[in-house]
Amino acid sequence: EDQVTQSPEALRLQEGESSSLNCSYTVSGLRGLFWYRQDPGKGPEFLFTLYSAGEEKEKERLKATLTKKESFLHITAPKPEDSATYLCAVQAAGGGNKLTFGTGTQLKVEL
Amino acid sequence: EPEVTQTPSHQVTQMGQEVILRCVPISNHLYFYWYRQILGQKVEFLVSFYNNEISEKSEIFDDQFSVERPDGSNFTLKIRSTKLEDSAMYFCASRGQGGSSSDTQYFGPGTRLTVL
């Protein structure tokens, strides 16, 4: 069974204080690893897809990296508007297209 | 920018009643999904739909659930006889076909279902 574990559950940062969120996964062959952002009461908003170990993607203050066992979402000099829950999900190769999600990291960035 | 839309945003129903949740996927997408998120818990896969049939479903998606694409734009989730434990946020998602970028599932804003 595919599993995704995210840590920490919650993270409080000061504006400008960089940090990383972790996503550990076990999957029977990885087709893709996805990062989403979710604001309260809203649907997941797509950020990145990573396919193979060593791959990196960047968007503004966010950078996602992938190894064979985990992915990191690095947040550089965060701003209050980066406050949200960040979700990691995996899609297994060879099976259907379903996403298996972790429980997320709730990030709060304070002034 | 194209987006997935869902109606209603909030549905309140009595236990045992039927509900239909509606979704309009992104127009050129061919794969459709329903997920749910119970308050405070992770997003869970319910069902995937392609070429007018279910391609995969989870254990949650029992005989009380059904999906349909009644026309060229809508995708619906029906719960025949709602239970208290069906209370959750229901998300519709869609993805395109062809190329690595088509793996991405785009989610709608969700329908909050409250069963009393």
Side-chain angles (χ1 to χ4, degrees):
Chain A
E1 185 181 329
D2 304 335
Q3 287 195 337
V4 178
T5 303
Q6 291 188 247
S7 61
E9 289 184 8
L11 181 63
R12 182 170 287 190
L13 299 174
Q14 296 296 310
E15 185 176 14
E17 180 186 2
S18 302
S19 188
S20 296
L21 314 182
N22 177 263
C23 170
S24 299
Y25 63 91
T26 54
V27 64
S28 54
L30 180 70
R31 176 182 172 91
L33 185 140
F34 301 80
W35 282 98
Y36 288 86
R37 168 190 171 130
Q38 187 176 31
D39 292 302
K42 303 286 180 65
E45 177 189 342
F46 171 70
L47 294 173
F48 303 110
T49 309
L50 300 166
Y51 290 101
S52 56
E55 189 175 1
E56 299 183 351
K57 295 270 180 77
E58 279 189 75
K59 180 181 177 181
E60 297 180 354
R61 295 176 292 282
L62 301 176
K63 183 167 91 171
T65 62
L66 181 66
T67 72
K68 289 186 178 179
K69 294 182 178 180
E70 56 191 351
S71 177
F72 293 93
L73 185 66
H74 308 278
I75 303 177
T76 302
K79 298 181 178 182
E81 53 261 43
D82 295 322
S83 298
T85 296
Y86 290 86
L87 304 176
C88 173
V90 297
Q91 188 178 67
N97 308 126
K98 70 175 184 182
L99 295 178
T100 300
F101 281 86
T103 51
T105 293
Q106 190 173 7
L107 173 66
K108 184 166 176 61
V109 182
E110 299 172 329
L111 291 168
Chain B
E1 186 175 325
E3 57 183 20
V4 177
T5 59
Q6 292 185 241
T7 54
S9 57
H10 190 189
Q11 174 92 48
V12 181
T13 189
Q14 295 292 322
M15 190 169 55
Q17 294 297 303
E18 174 183 287
V19 294
I20 298 176
L21 310 183
R22 291 182 168 80
C23 168
V24 178
I26 294 172
S27 63
N28 61 344
H29 283 185
L30 299 176
Y31 295 83
F32 314 116
Y33 307 84
W34 284 101
Y35 291 81
R36 79 172 186 189
Q37 186 176 31
I38 295 171
L39 188 64
Q41 298 187 22
K42 64 175 71 174
V43 177
E44 299 175 289
F45 169 77
L46 293 178
V47 65
S48 59
F49 191 86
Y50 171 71
N51 200 25
N52 279 322
E53 59 182 30
I54 290 173
S55 47
E56 188 177 7
K57 61 183 180 179
S58 72
E59 292 177 353
I60 303 168
F61 195 88
D62 61 21
D63 292 345
Q64 293 301 310
F65 291 86
S66 62
V67 289
E68 191 179 28
R69 186 152 165 83
D71 53 44
S73 59
N74 290 281
F75 179 51
T76 63
L77 174 69
K78 182 194 292 186
I79 309 176
R80 267 181 264 283
S81 178
T82 51
K83 305 170 189 170
L84 295 175
E85 53 265 37
D86 293 328
S87 295
M89 195 78 157
Y90 287 80
F91 295 110
C92 174
S94 70
R95 75 176 181 95
Q97 184 176 27
S100 59
S101 63
S102 67
D103 288 331
T104 300
Q105 294 180 26
Y106 294 91
F107 284 75
T111 293
R112 179 168 298 284
L113 177 64
T114 302
V115 182
L116 302 176

